[in-house]
Amino acid sequence: MSGARSSPPGFTTTSRLFWRGRAPLVLASASPRRVALLRQAGAEFTVGDPGPDRPWPGEAEPRHGVRALALAKARRVAATRPAAVVVGADTVVVVRGERLGKPADREQALAMLRRLHGRQHEVWTGLAIVHRGQQCTAAERTIVRMARLTERDLADYVASGESLDKAGGYGVQGLAGQFVKAIEGDYFNVVGLPLARLRALLEEFA
């Protein structure tokens, strides 16, 4: 776990627009994208690594599964930071009822992208906040429409290496942004952290 304060490059002070509470804010995530989004919001926070990803909770529907996984992350970090307000998050992609997490290798990433291109899919992110025995959870859904791609497009994207640590095998904030035709809902949810929903939840703990 890192104890260093996270602040945006070029910012001399952080903003209290996002988090107005007195307790320290901790993000229970090793995702650089989630860290970057909280920095973008000007939040003052530290990062706690919740450890390896847990398996999907049985036959849970996406909205319930991502909440359970986010809560597990927040609880693990909160156990070592009892005075903090701890935020956990987990994201999954769903296409035609099939859940797509992070690909294990490039072959799996290519298979995922073949499922996604030319179709509409859902991105679900679960949020969880834990503080001194109190907790709350929420789930955010965004619909993404991806353009139809050639096999060369898919192979070149996978060869870039961007796929491997992202749910569904693509990063909308990176090279794959050029493949996205439309988004219905929170763009930041697709990146991995719906800022508006999280800010509203944090108000209950301020």
Side-chain angles (χ1 to χ4, degrees), residues 27-52:
L27 176 63
S29 175
S31 165
R33 293 164 298 284
R34 294 188 179 117
V35 171
L37 285 177
L38 267 190
R39 286 176 175 172
Q40 179 179 321
E44 184 177 1
F45 66 101
T46 57
V47 176
D49 188 347

Side-chain angles (χ1 to χ4, degrees), residues 184-196:
E184 294 181 17
D186 189 335
Y187 165 83
F188 297 115
N189 187 50
V190 185
V191 181
L193 195 68
L195 292 174

Side-chain angles (χ1 to χ4, degrees), residues 8-147:
F11 278 46
T12 56
T13 60
T14 53
S15 169
R16 291 185 61 80
L17 278 172
F18 193 82
W19 169 239
R20 293 189 170 97
R22 295 184 177 181
L25 185 66
V26 176
L27 176 63
S29 175
S31 165
R33 293 164 298 284
R34 294 188 179 117
V35 171
L37 285 177
L38 267 190
R39 286 176 175 172
Q40 179 179 321
E44 184 177 1
F45 66 101
T46 57
V47 176
D49 188 347
D53 291 340
R54 295 279 181 91
W56 188 261
E59 298 299 318
E61 295 181 3
R63 72 180 69 238
H64 302 306
V66 291
R67 290 167 71 157
L69 292 174
L71 183 58
K73 291 178 181 179
R75 283 174 171 171
R76 290 202 297 272
V77 173
T80 63
R81 299 290 298 272
V85 172
V86 181
V87 175
D90 195 85
T91 301
V92 69
V93 169
V94 181
V95 57
R96 295 187 174 182
E98 179 184 357
R99 294 189 312 273
L100 304 180
K102 298 175 183 177
D105 51 37
R106 291 189 177 187
E107 183 177 344
Q108 193 174 77
L110 185 57
M112 288 182 178
L113 290 166
R114 284 172 177 153
R115 293 275 292 151
L116 295 174
H117 85 98
R119 295 191 177 107
Q120 174 177 296
H121 63 271
E122 298 177 341
V123 178
W124 287 90
T125 296
L127 296 172
I129 302 175
V130 175
H131 178 56
R132 296 191 182 278
Q134 295 183 326
Q135 63 184 43
C136 71
T137 63
E140 187 79 12
R141 183 187 74 147
T142 301
I143 297 173
V144 179
R145 293 188 180 91
M146 191 174 284

